[in-house]
Amino acid sequence: MKKETKKLIVWIKKILKNGENNHPIEESEDYLINEASAICLLDKFIEVEKQLTKGGIIQDKNGKLCKDGDRIREIGYEEREGVLKWDSVQRCFCFDWDNISDRLNEMDFEKIEG
């Protein structure tokens, strides 16, 4: 977690605990924590919670973060392209391609950017 995010969470906790905004946050040259950034962070938490219900986040072969719905490419014998999908029944990520859904298991894959 970024240092700025940690400071923002501490600031939000103080506000929620005391019910008022009388806790100034120190300013630096790089950023200013304020109510607008707090609202943005809380919106991101909603998105993260939504992703957690869809398997969370996993890394591709190159260490890039991938989530349900991302386009991916199988690496290996066949270089097929498809979509990473969370199967809530089997409780695993699957590689959906050409109307076929394969469990990822130990399949090497990479995220397709763009």
Side-chain angles (χ1 to χ4, degrees), residues 24-98:
I25 297 295
E26 60 188 70
E27 249 182 87
S28 79
E29 297 171 7
D30 298 332
Y31 66 94
L32 171 64
I33 296 177
N34 56 33
E35 291 177 35
S37 58
I39 291 168
C40 180
L41 178 67
L42 293 173
D43 288 344
K44 287 182 182 181
F45 284 156
I46 292 168
E47 181 61 29
V48 168
E49 182 180 42
K50 181 180 168 185
Q51 285 305 319
L52 288 174
T53 65
K54 295 180 179 183
I57 297 173
I58 61 172
Q59 291 182 325
D60 72 359
K61 183 176 178 144
N62 303 316
K64 292 181 184 174
L65 300 179
C66 303
K67 62 186 181 341
D68 178 80
D70 283 346
R71 296 211 26 88
I72 61 173
R73 176 183 303 113
E74 179 184 14
I75 305 297
Y77 180 69
E78 295 184 52
E79 291 202 1
R80 304 173 291 183
E81 292 186 5
V83 178
L84 183 66
K85 287 291 184 183
W86 175 252
D87 186 322
S88 59
V89 175
Q90 296 183 39
R91 294 185 179 166
C92 66
F93 279 106
C94 294
F95 175 61
D96 285 4
W97 62 280
D98 203 20

